[in-house]
């Protein structure tokens, strides 16, 4: 049991700093801040305590689960993450201080759809770790407002970007897929961050090979010499050096139509589907290219696929970079480029 009473940023846990699974005697939970009614807070604390006892909470990695709370009287989605303060983490390593307090932050939403935002919420907690201080002043001025704005800051940016750009969203989707650098001018800080988060969520980073991504970024920068610019000085954002294709325009309509429901989780799901379809198209094209190395009919299939998929311009760039070291495949790509130009 920790001798000093630390607490959490939500519903919290000072627990032993040791990596072993804590038994029920090893930790206590004390509350730092919540906006839940007392009864629901007790139920949530009990849920977190069980998870801690089972060793189901790993440092810095968020989880999402369904939790039954009496208020409101149905199950809610709960994102929860265990962490230790950044500077205390270093101290604990140096001094082997087993009494360093740990925290558990819980964010509750209407369903388990928080899972689609788990990476964003993990980053949100990272920022909290660095700035967390137990002094009352820090809690009131920084920690409490930061915790209360989690939904606005981590979940809503995609929705806000859709509402800001409307039909021009196709250009942003194209920039994300093609690794085109984007500059935002004359915008407030929140809008800049929103667009940056949208691009990070829409890019295929982690889904295509890392070397491919680096080469694509270099190729796109060299090819265009200019970033795409979003100028927010007027009532409507103006875009310069922007490109688009049929694939991105089709998905833009899906986003704009989704705006009628006003549910931010829907936008994230649409974005995941958009990326999934792009990856499927890349894999299909790669398969056709492998077949086309030995078969002229397959080469024609490649060409028809590129013509009809709506994003042939981007797909061709991606496979060109990936097949740069493979002579047979590179020849196929060169032929396809000629056909597409004609």
């Amino acid at each position: 049991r920790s001798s000093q009473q630390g607490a959490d940023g939500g519903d919290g846990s000072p627990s032993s700093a040791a990596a072993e699974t804590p038994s029920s005697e090893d930790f206590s939970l004390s509350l730092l801040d919540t906006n839940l009614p007392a009864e629901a807070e007790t139920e949530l604390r009990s849920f977190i305590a069980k998870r801690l006892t089972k060793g189901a909470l790993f440092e810095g990695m968020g989880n999402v689960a369904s939790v039954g709370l009496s208020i409101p009287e149905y199950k809610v989605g709960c994102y929860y993450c265990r962490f230790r303060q950044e500077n205390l983490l270093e101290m604990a390593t140096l001094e082997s201080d087993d009494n360093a307090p740990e925290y558990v932050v819980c964010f509750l939403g209407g369903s388990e759809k928080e899972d689609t935002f788990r990476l964003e919420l993990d980053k949100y907690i990272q920022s909290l770790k660095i700035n967390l201080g137990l002094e009352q002043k820090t809690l009131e001025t920084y920690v409490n407002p930061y915790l209360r704005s989690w939904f606005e800051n981590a979940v809503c940016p995609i929705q806000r970007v859709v509402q800001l750009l409307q039909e021009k969203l196709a250009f942003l989707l194209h920039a994300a897929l093609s690794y085109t650098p984007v500059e935002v001018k004359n915008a407030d800080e929140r809008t800049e961050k929103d667009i940056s988060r949208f691009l990070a969520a829409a890019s295929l980073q982690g889904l295509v090979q890392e070397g491919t991504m680096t080469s694509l970024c270099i190729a796109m920068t060299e090819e265009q010499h200019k970033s795409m610019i979003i100028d927010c000085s007027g009532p409507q954002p103006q875009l310069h050096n922007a490109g688009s294709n049929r694939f991105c325009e089709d998905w833009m309509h899906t986003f704009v139509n989704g705006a009628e429901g006003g549910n931010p989780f829907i936008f994230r799901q649409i974005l995941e589907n958009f990326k999934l379809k792009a990856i499927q198209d890349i894999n299909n094209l790669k398969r056709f290219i492998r077949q086309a190395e030995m078969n002229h009919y397959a080469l024609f299939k490649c060409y028809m696929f590129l013509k009809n998929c709506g994003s042939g311009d981007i797909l061709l760039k991606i496979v060109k970079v990936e097949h740069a070291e493979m002579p047979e495949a590179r020849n196929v790509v060169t032929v396809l480029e000629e056909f597409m130009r004609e």
Side-chain angles (χ1 to χ4, degrees):
R1 183 179 293 279
S2 172
S3 57
Q4 56 192 102
Q5 286 298 303
D8 80 16
D11 310 276
S13 137
S15 99
S16 79
E20 295 89 31
T21 305
S23 71
S24 53
E25 290 78 36
D26 285 333
F27 67 91
S28 61
L29 290 170
S30 48
L31 182 69
L32 178 63
D33 184 35
T34 186
N35 57 1
L36 276 178
E39 189 181 349
E41 187 274 311
T42 307
E43 291 161 346
L44 184 60
R45 188 191 296 235
S46 165
F47 166 79
I48 294 297
K50 282 176 192 163
R51 294 285 166 130
L52 282 165
T53 308
K54 288 177 186 170
L57 271 78
F58 297 105
E59 176 87 31
M61 284 173 62
N63 298 271
V64 175
S66 191
V67 188
L69 300 178
S70 54
I71 305 170
E73 291 164 359
Y74 61 91
K75 289 198 168 189
V76 294
C78 174
Y79 165 91
Y80 55 97
C81 184
R82 166 186 162 191
F83 71 95
R84 206 174 307 157
Q85 217 175 315
E86 198 85 321
N87 53 350
L88 285 176
L89 198 58
E90 291 161 22
M91 282 164 49
T93 313
L94 294 170
E95 301 168 19
S96 300
D97 178 10
D98 284 353
N99 289 326
E102 292 186 72
Y103 304 87
V104 179
V105 173
C106 301
F107 296 135
L108 298 176
S111 71
E112 283 187 59
K113 288 177 183 155
E114 279 80 4
D115 200 27
T116 57
F117 285 93
R118 194 164 47 79
L119 293 176
E120 280 89 344
L121 292 172
D122 283 352
K123 282 182 193 164
Y124 202 67
I125 299 301
Q126 279 294 331
S127 187
L128 181 68
K129 272 169 73 171
I130 296 159
N131 296 296
L132 181 64
L134 285 180
E135 301 83 12
Q136 195 59 38
K137 189 176 162 193
T138 317
L139 286 176
E140 286 169 7
T141 59
Y142 176 77
V143 177
N144 296 8
Y146 188 83
L147 289 170
R148 278 167 165 69
S149 59
W150 72 274
F151 191 79
E152 192 66 20
N153 289 339
V155 174
C156 293
I158 294 171
Q159 182 181 27
R160 285 198 293 266
V161 170
V162 174
Q163 289 166 343
L164 175 74
L165 293 179
Q166 297 289 321
E167 280 76 16
K168 291 173 185 168
L169 187 73
F171 300 111
L172 197 62
L173 292 171
H174 190 269
L177 274 191
S178 60
Y179 306 92
T180 304
V182 175
E183 278 180 45
V184 183
K185 295 187 172 178
N186 305 312
D188 56 67
E189 190 185 352
R190 188 172 85 163
T191 302
E192 273 192 52
K193 279 186 182 170
D194 283 354
I195 291 171
S196 168
R197 283 172 177 162
F198 186 96
L199 285 165
S203 88
L204 301 181
Q205 188 162 9
L207 299 174
V208 296
Q209 295 165 13
E210 207 167 304
T212 303
M213 277 198 58
T214 310
S215 305
L216 270 167
C217 290
I218 294 164
M220 290 308 292
T221 310
E222 285 174 354
E223 182 183 311
Q224 297 186 343
H225 304 295
K226 292 176 186 169
S227 307
M228 177 177 129
I229 294 166
I230 302 176
D231 185 354
C232 297
S233 54
Q236 293 295 316
Q238 296 301 312
L239 276 60
H240 307 284
N241 310 324
S244 186
N245 59 28
R246 198 175 73 247
F247 180 80
C248 294
E249 280 161 19
D250 290 345
W251 279 97
M252 172 273 292
H253 289 299
T254 310
F255 275 102
V256 172
N257 294 338
E260 293 162 15
N263 182 343
F265 294 105
I266 287 173
F267 293 105
R268 185 52 195 263
Q269 199 54 61
I270 295 171
L271 203 52
E272 291 305 312
N273 295 342
F274 163 78
K275 284 162 40 174
L276 183 65
K277 183 67 175 88
I279 288 293
Q280 282 172 347
D281 285 352
I282 290 167
N283 291 337
N284 282 332
L285 181 59
K286 283 186 194 170
R287 194 175 74 249
F288 289 145
I289 287 172
R290 280 197 302 273
Q291 293 167 0
E293 288 171 20
M294 298 163 287
N295 181 325
H296 286 296
Y297 176 67
L299 180 61
F300 181 69
K301 263 170 73 177
C302 268
Y303 167 64
M304 291 309 292
F305 177 77
L306 280 170
K307 232 178 108 169
N308 297 326
C309 70
S311 66
D313 57 331
I314 294 173
L315 297 188
L316 207 49
K317 282 186 184 118
I318 292 172
V319 293
K320 186 178 181 179
V321 168
E322 285 201 2
H323 295 93
E325 307 299 319
M326 305 174 196
E328 291 89 352
R330 197 173 64 229
N331 291 340
V332 171
V333 172
T334 306
V335 172
L336 287 170
E337 278 186 312
E338 286 172 19
F339 270 109
M340 291 298 280
R341 265 200 302 272
E342 287 168 21

